[in-house]
Amino acid sequence: MRVVIGITGASGAIYAKRLIEFLHKKHTLFVTISKHAKSIFEYETGVNFFDFIKTKDVEYFDNGDLYSPVASGSFKIDACCIVPCSMKTLSSIANGFSDSLISRCADVAIKEKRKLVVVPRETPFSSIHLENMLKLSNLGVYITVASTAFYNKPQTLEDVVDFVVGRILDNLGIDNSLYKRWEGKNSTNVEL
Ligand SMILES: Cc1cc2nc3c(=O)[nH]c(=O)nc-3n(C[C@H](O)[C@H](O)[C@H](O)COP(=O)(O)O)c2cc1C
């Protein structure tokens, strides 16, 4: 698959990091990151974003580079994922305000009726945030909130992260076994 990944300045850079780690060998990734997200990535993960992507098979574009191929609907892309998605970027996407490459890529995905997965991170949500999410959901956008489940009995931080990343991959239509799926209360898959 050819996937655009936009990273914005909400907490949860680790989700983007894990998603790229999972996808980069088998899929074609086009990655962009906002100014705030760059510093939050380093603050939260302890890893410099550029050092990280240097070791990954991805094509990187500056968030201000509206001349990049991914900014155009004519460039072939299968899906776009904004992870994590700040309330600011959520608002710009919901209102068609494409002043950055990230919001433009999301806008392109919506207008071309391509798969778009948005991973908001905030709590509590205000009515403004909820209205923006509803607007996008009504357009067919996946609103995959970075909210973990506990029915799969996570043991580590990696388990918690992999649950959310696994659900993002499910939305993208990419096979994964990153988390234990619910198979009923009496399943041997989950110890209750
Ligand atoms: C450490 C840190 C954590 C933040 N966490 C969130 C968050 O979880 N959700 C959110 O909407 N904004 C969060 N913000 C605020 C955004 O970074 C800010 O609104 C910024 O303008 C978003 O811009 P961007 O969408 O272009 O990255 C955080 C900021 C900092 C410095």
Side-chain angles (χ1 to χ4, degrees):
M1 259 178 111
R2 292 162 64 79
V3 186
V4 173
I5 297 179
I7 307 168
T8 72
S11 185
I14 195 167
Y15 298 116
K17 184 170 177 284
R18 183 71 177 117
L19 185 67
I20 291 170
E21 282 166 352
F22 183 88
L23 289 175
H24 81 107
K25 284 191 185 137
K26 289 193 180 153
H27 298 269
T28 306
L29 300 187
F30 306 94
V31 177
T32 181
I33 185 168
S34 75
K35 185 179 107 192
H36 294 289
K38 271 179 221 160
S39 71
I40 294 172
F41 192 100
E42 185 153 357
Y43 180 77
E44 290 189 343
T45 69
V47 179
N48 176 272
F49 171 74
F50 292 106
D51 289 344
F52 169 69
I53 57 161
K54 245 189 333 212
T55 64
K56 302 289 171 286
D57 195 4
V58 305
E59 199 163 337
Y60 168 77
F61 296 107
D62 187 275
N63 192 29
D65 183 7
L66 290 162
Y67 282 85
S68 72
V70 288
S72 170
S74 65
F75 190 68
K76 287 278 188 190
I77 289 294
D78 299 303
C80 176
C81 180
I82 312 300
V83 55
C85 185
S86 73
M87 296 305 102
K88 178 204 135 187
T89 295
L90 175 78
S91 167
S92 66
I93 298 169
N95 291 286
F97 188 72
S98 304
D99 66 333
S100 68
L101 185 59
I102 294 175
S103 45
R104 171 64 184 166
C105 286
D107 199 38
V108 167
I110 293 169
K111 84 182 174 76
E112 301 293 337
K113 308 207 183 307
R114 293 174 185 152
K115 207 166 259 194
L116 173 60
V117 181
V118 166
V119 185
R121 214 301 319 171
E122 187 51 275
T123 198
F125 289 125
S126 73
S127 298
I128 296 171
H129 305 151
L130 291 166
E131 278 179 7
N132 285 334
M133 284 188 255
L134 179 62
K135 200 166 166 186
L136 291 179
S137 177
N138 284 338
L139 291 167
V141 174
Y142 290 88
I143 307 295
T144 303
V145 175
S147 131
T148 198
F150 292 92
Y151 57 75
N152 56 331
K153 309 276 176 159
Q155 303 294 310
T156 63
L157 177 61
E158 286 72 28
D159 292 344
V160 168
V161 170
D162 279 359
F163 176 82
V164 172
V165 174
R167 298 300 287 131
I168 295 169
L169 292 165
D170 290 347
N171 299 157
L172 292 171
I174 295 172
D175 272 350
N176 72 92
S177 51
L178 282 188
Y179 67 100
K180 285 185 200 161
R181 291 168 192 278
W182 178 253
E183 289 179 0
K185 196 172 170 210
N186 298 321
S187 159
T188 50
N189 199 9
V190 180
E191 284 173 27
L192 288 173

